[in-house]
Amino acid sequence: MVSSGQQNYYNKLETILTELPWYVEEYIDTKSRKLSAASLVNYCHDFKIFFNWLLAEGLFDGSIKDIPLTLLEKLTVLQVESFLSYLKFQLSNKEITVNRKLSSLKSLFGYLQNIAETDDLQPYINRNVMAKIDFNDVSESPETTANRMEGKILLGDEYETFRVFVSEGYLETVIDDKKKTNFYHFNRERDIAIISMFLGSGLRLSELVGLDLGDIDFNKYNARVIRKGNKEQYVYFSEQAMWDLQDYINIRIERYKVEKNNKALFLSAPMGPKGTSRRLTPRAIEKLVEKYAIAFGKPSLSVHKLRHSFATRYHAEINDVPKLRRQLGHSSIQTTMIYTHIQNEDLKNAINKLNMPKE
């Protein structure tokens, strides 16, 4: 059964595909069995950026939808490298983001060359320029990743302090601004529940956005989510998250004027002439977290950093990497191992002892 959150992504996918060439839609169809709708939308956004760049560079005179396969087949390595430079220097994409967009294009071009066939069993393109392009080297040791991350996540007492700040302390920072104060009072229970769910489960942004009311099991303290690869999984969340979520649900229908067919868990304030509530968008939740993080005095804290904060806390309390890997939905245990390098007090204490004078 497709949740309304997933259906929302499918609707977005259908819309963006109408703007892209026919062979992209064919490619997306082949990926739909293995990838979530959210991932497919991200792929299409990457393709749209690339195709728009082709038009801006004067490589094709027409609309994106009409870009022919012959153009893709004749692209040079220098032209693709120029596009990657555009991503980095014009769009200010980090190297890891450039790699992700390049990976999307490699996948599309690989399909066109190696999988797709014409009626006479010929590949759609014979030359694949993307196969000649290397990814940026952004590899680093788990220790380096952990050290870079450590100053940007919640550690120790900050974990609960941040939640309490959202619950109580934030109001003091906006008390002189009537508009912000009223907005906070209106959304307080919702915002606390969102922060608690991130801190109490380690969910990804797309997973939390896609939650429907029926996905929550309060008896088992878990939530049904659609993970990467379009995999369904039941993820546990903390008692505190459950309590905060229940407080929000108690006021959800009346305060947000929820229509019967709206199953989305987290909603925006009623908008428009009819006062309709809609599912919170990923960007709205990012801005929500950003607002509280800045007021808290930790502006580097983001949705993804809350996920890292949960993982670090989990490892410190339980020290069970396989279980943490499942909770986070990592495909590789090497990704999960990063959290074993954060706040390694045993190692730190051992090194400190080397500097102690002998008695």
Side-chain angles (χ1 to χ4, degrees), residues 164-183:
V164 173
F165 174 79
V166 176
S167 176
E168 303 170 10
Y170 176 78
L171 181 60
E172 297 179 9
T173 69
V174 296
I175 198 68
D176 295 327
D177 189 319
K178 187 175 181 180
K179 184 178 179 180
K180 289 182 179 179
T181 298
N182 290 339
F183 190 79

Side-chain angles (χ1 to χ4, degrees), residues 27-28 35 38-48 104 107:
Y27 163 80
I28 291 295
L35 298 176
S39 295
L40 296 175
V41 168
N42 287 334
Y43 268 66
C44 288
H45 280 305
D46 293 342
F47 299 149
K48 192 172 179 180
S104 299
S107 181

Side-chain angles (χ1 to χ4, degrees), residues 151-205:
K152 301 178 182 179
I153 64 176
L154 300 171
L155 296 170
D157 293 340
E158 288 181 325
Y159 199 84
E160 179 58 21
T161 303
F162 181 62
R163 187 202 147 273
V164 173
F165 174 79
V166 176
S167 176
E168 303 170 10
Y170 176 78
L171 181 60
E172 297 179 9
T173 69
V174 296
I175 198 68
D176 295 327
D177 189 319
K178 187 175 181 180
K179 184 178 179 180
K180 289 182 179 179
T181 298
N182 290 339
F183 190 79
Y184 171 72
H185 280 305
F186 186 90
N187 293 304
R188 176 179 176 274
E189 289 83 359
R190 182 202 67 184
D191 292 358
I192 296 168
I194 288 173
I195 296 299
S196 277
M197 283 295 284
F198 280 130
L199 291 177
S201 67
L203 288 177
R204 295 182 176 92
L205 175 60

Side-chain angles (χ1 to χ4, degrees), residues 43-60:
Y43 268 66
C44 288
H45 280 305
D46 293 342
F47 299 149
K48 192 172 179 180
I49 290 171
F50 176 64
F51 290 135
N52 272 322
W53 179 84
L54 293 177
L55 299 186
E57 290 294 301
L59 297 175
F60 179 70

Side-chain angles (χ1 to χ4, degrees), residues 14-28:
E14 288 183 4
T15 299
I16 195 171
L17 281 174
T18 62
E19 306 171 28
L20 296 172
W22 62 270
Y23 47 83
V24 172
E25 182 172 4
E26 185 178 298
Y27 163 80
I28 291 295

Side-chain angles (χ1 to χ4, degrees), residues 86-94:
Y86 163 76
L87 294 177
K88 182 176 181 179
F89 297 109
Q90 297 296 316
L91 299 189
S92 299
N93 286 172
K94 295 180 180 179

Side-chain angles (χ1 to χ4, degrees), residues 185-253:
H185 280 305
F186 186 90
N187 293 304
R188 176 179 176 274
E189 289 83 359
R190 182 202 67 184
D191 292 358
I192 296 168
I194 288 173
I195 296 299
S196 277
M197 283 295 284
F198 280 130
L199 291 177
S201 67
L203 288 177
R204 295 182 176 92
L205 175 60
S206 62
E207 294 165 353
L208 184 133
V209 168
L211 285 174
D212 287 342
L213 192 61
D215 292 329
I216 307 298
D217 189 329
F218 287 96
N219 295 319
K220 296 181 179 179
Y221 291 21
N222 66 23
R224 173 188 173 272
V225 299
I226 304 300
R227 314 221 84 152
K228 286 186 175 181
N230 211 23
K231 297 176 182 177
E232 178 183 285
Q233 186 179 333
Y234 288 84
V235 178
Y236 290 100
F237 53 93
S238 67
E239 279 188 298
Q240 184 64 63
M242 186 270 284
W243 296 330
D244 290 337
L245 192 56
Q246 188 64 67
D247 287 342
Y248 162 65
I249 288 175
N250 288 340
I251 58 92
R252 173 181 170 274
I253 293 178

